[in-house]
Amino acid sequence: NNVGIMKGTVDSAEYHWDSTDSYIRVVGRDMVAPLIDNDVLPTTLQNIKPHEYISKVCNSYNITNLKLDTTMSSITKLVLNVGESEMSVINTMVKNERRKAWLDYDTFYTGTWSKNAAPSFTFTRGVPVDKMCIPIKSFTYKEDGTTVPSEYIIYGNSSSDGSTNSVM
């Protein structure tokens, strides 16, 4: 219905058709993917206004439609460490102010979420085009956690003289 759903990079497109089915499956990443994929340059910044920092980072990755909360408190000292992504720094900034960061189509937001708002979605099937909302072509639902890695941390302990070691 000429309403954008996602804007970003297409990683793959699959076209399928046979006597009983036809579909196009598009796999991709939205505009925030570069913020997740790229690590910050380690440094220490002083007296940072979160909305100015976020704006600068987003603009450097061509995310230009921004609606940022300008009421967040300034950060006296911001230490950017090795292994932190651009998005993890942004998430930490907004989380410390009890806010959220999110992307809706092509606009990056920071702010508070309304916990009282009721989302509305209308799905339709077999109705005329002028009455169609989000068409249901087919529906399959699967939850699978088998690819989620588990992590175990084992702490060691040794006696003060170093003669015994144990795993806790």
Side-chain angles (χ1 to χ4, degrees):
N1 292 335
N2 294 322
V3 176
I5 297 171
M6 189 176 106
K7 187 173 182 181
T9 303
V10 173
D11 291 324
S12 67
E14 175 186 348
Y15 304 87
H16 172 84
W17 65 93
D18 61 24
S19 62
T20 60
D21 197 11
S22 65
Y23 61 85
I24 299 173
R25 177 177 291 137
V26 179
V27 177
R29 295 168 287 152
D30 65 21
M31 296 172 62
V32 174
L35 299 178
I36 296 167
D37 294 341
N38 289 290
D39 287 354
V40 297
L41 294 174
T43 190
T44 300
L45 303 172
Q46 307 290 331
N47 300 316
I48 300 300
K49 293 181 181 175
H51 72 278
E52 290 177 358
Y53 176 85
I54 294 167
S55 178
K56 181 179 176 183
V57 169
C58 287
N59 281 303
S60 71
Y61 292 100
N62 295 319
I63 302 169
T64 56
N65 293 334
L66 305 170
K67 292 197 178 177
L68 305 177
D69 185 340
T70 60
T71 65
M72 290 188 282
S73 303
S74 292
I75 300 170
T76 307
K77 181 178 179 182
L78 178 64
V79 179
L80 305 177
N81 294 307
V82 173
E84 285 187 290
S85 70
E86 300 281 14
M87 193 66 208
S88 69
V89 171
I90 292 170
N91 277 333
T92 300
M93 284 180 170
V94 297
K95 182 180 173 187
N96 288 342
E97 291 279 323
R98 296 179 187 235
R99 290 176 174 72
K100 302 283 185 189
W102 69 96
L103 181 77
D104 186 6
Y105 180 54
D106 69 347
T107 304
F108 189 83
Y109 296 86
T110 61
T112 55
W113 285 2
S114 173
K115 296 177 184 173
N116 299 323
S120 174
F121 303 98
T122 304
F123 297 92
T124 59
R125 181 173 171 90
V127 297
V129 173
D130 63 329
K131 304 225 186 293
M132 188 182 300
C133 291
I134 302 170
I136 301 173
K137 299 290 185 183
S138 67
F139 183 74
T140 303
Y141 181 72
K142 177 181 179 182
E143 288 185 356
D144 186 354
T146 58
T147 61
V148 177
S150 297
E151 181 176 322
Y152 296 94
I153 300 173
I154 300 173
Y155 295 94
N157 186 14
S158 64
S159 64
S160 59
D161 65 0
S163 62
T164 61
N165 289 315
S166 62
V167 176
M168 300 175 81

